Amino acid sequence: TGFFFSTFYTESTFLFFSVAALFAAQRRAWGWACLAGALLTLSRPLGIVITLPLAWQYAESIGWNFRKLRWDAAWFALPPLCLLGYFLWQYQLTGNFFAPLYIQQAWGRVFSWPWEALLHPTGLVSVITPQEQGLALVFVAGALLALRRLPSLSLGLYALVLIAPPLFTGQLTSTARYYLAVVPVFVVAAQLGKHPLLDRAITLLAPMMQALLFLMWCRFYWVA
């Protein structure tokens, strides 16, 4: 689904600031990490969940001893303040503080349990929906592996939190695009790709899937 990086969607921006925030957190540069997290939140409200791995890794850096909190913990106010500012801006425009959430109803998104979305999603699109079901399962599995394989448990939790929202809406529409920026799953895929057979399988199948999705998207199927 990498062709979405060249479209008008926010995936490229979301991926960039996700990687920047996690990269800075690894180097304990909390100011830069939170600034990237704030810009991530402005690119898409769901970006606020970046505070989970950032705060978790900060807690790890002080040994989970909150008596050792330093002044740099104040940087963690940046992402929620940016999100609050965004909602206030929407309130000025629409008169509804939660307009970005309510507008989702226009896409037919209603609450349902994840297994219902996976097994019996609404908004079925021939060819596309089965791929979305398969990708959702692959990404859930990748996030669970991230809990075990990556240096911080927070990275696997971050992946699960990013994957979860569409699964509670009764449909899988656009998940192929949303999951494009779930960084920890791609790190796990890179680790697994060290196995020659799996590397060849990914190299062969991924471009074929991307070509098919891109062709369907150009023909106005709702891939995105």
Side-chain angles (χ1 to χ4, degrees), residues 9 11 109 132 171-179 222-224:
Y9 294 112
E11 268 58 44
R109 299 186 185 276
E132 290 174 332
Q171 59 178 266
L172 299 175
T173 305
S174 297
T175 49
R177 173 166 62 88
Y178 297 150
Y179 294 167
W222 190 253
V223 178

Side-chain angles (χ1 to χ4, degrees), residues 135-147:
L135 282 172
L137 291 173
V138 166
F139 271 81
V140 170
L144 294 175
L145 283 174
L147 292 171

Side-chain angles (χ1 to χ4, degrees), residues 9-59:
Y9 294 112
T10 61
E11 268 58 44
S12 55
T13 307
F14 196 92
L15 177 65
F16 175 80
F17 288 121
S18 296
V19 173
L22 296 173
F23 183 82
Q26 273 199 328
R27 280 151 181 72
R28 304 299 187 246
W30 304 114
W32 288 111
C34 292
L35 177 60
L39 295 172
L40 176 66
T41 300
L42 290 179
S43 71
R44 191 189 303 164
L46 186 60
I48 190 63
V49 302
I50 193 67
T51 54
L52 168 64
L54 298 186
W56 189 294
Q57 290 179 55
Y58 182 88

